[in-house]
Amino acid sequence: MHAANSAGTVNLPEAHFDWLRVGLIAYGHLPRHSRVPVPVAPVMSFKSRLVQVRDLPAGVPVSYARTFVTSRPTRSGVVAVGYGHGYSWLLSNRGAHAGARAPGADPGAGHHGPHDGGPHRRPGAAVGDEVVLFGEQGDASLPLDEVAEGSQTLPYEIMCTIGKRVTRIYVRGGRPVKLMTLVGESEEWAHRAADHFRMREEALAAARRR
């Protein structure tokens, strides 16, 4: 017999009975109304990349329904993510990514979400740059709770609605050990991802030595 989800597991020990059915805390997130400080850490990030970067003048509408119009000369980046990947349309004009919080336009146009770099943009932003939709990027982070609030839903639903077309990379000890795509597991791409992580670590180590 069980009756305790993550919140019940943390807050109501009298409801534990025979089993627990944790969800949110299994991913390293505490329920919003947790009364007990459980030491957990997030284990999941959602990332994409810039596929286009453009400099737009003021007064240019972007994406569906013209809901976002540039108010000044703006560098606009197109991120490869949209409704079909599980990124909510409710984040239109609320988008942010770790390291550059700024208003973003409709994330659903052709599964590519425009992002206004705004006054916090990185001048060197380029096609191929990593964009964090929730999770960590270096010393910056975009909490899942913040994305859920912008989507008017719960953090657990955000994680559950990420579509199957989104590639899953499983990491252990900071290195990829498994990669799952829409058509199944790919050992070749897992090795490529591991090589990518290794080269990035070597580049960071070389930069620190300089």
Side-chain angles (χ1 to χ4, degrees), residues 48-55 75-80 97 112-113 115 122-131 196:
S48 186
R49 294 193 180 275
L50 283 172
V51 294
Q52 184 184 80
V53 177
R54 295 181 296 168
D55 290 305
R75 169 161 290 189
S76 175
V78 180
V79 182
H97 62 81
H112 296 76
H115 179 90
R122 291 175 297 165
V127 170
D129 281 0
E130 180 183 85
V131 175
H196 170 76

Side-chain angles (χ1 to χ4, degrees), residues 144-165:
L144 181 60
D145 282 343
E146 187 174 324
V147 177
E149 183 177 353
S151 305
Q152 300 177 25
T153 187
L154 303 174
Y156 193 48
E157 184 178 17
I158 296 289
M159 293 185 288
C160 289
T161 54
I162 296 176
K164 292 183 178 180
R165 69 174 64 182

Side-chain angles (χ1 to χ4, degrees), residues 62-151:
V62 181
S63 196
Y64 293 151
R66 300 164 61 96
T67 58
F68 179 80
V69 180
T70 58
S71 60
R72 61 184 180 276
T74 298
R75 169 161 290 189
S76 175
V78 180
V79 182
V81 68
Y83 310 144
H85 302 97
Y87 199 64
S88 173
W89 68 272
L90 290 170
L91 291 166
S92 296
N93 295 327
R94 301 182 183 182
H97 62 81
R101 296 173 185 276
D106 190 333
H111 305 297
H112 296 76
H115 179 90
D116 171 16
H120 308 292
R121 68 177 179 266
R122 291 175 297 165
V127 170
D129 281 0
E130 180 183 85
V131 175
V132 176
L133 303 163
F134 67 75
E136 298 181 352
Q137 184 184 70
D139 295 330
S141 65
L142 179 58
L144 181 60
D145 282 343
E146 187 174 324
V147 177
E149 183 177 353
S151 305

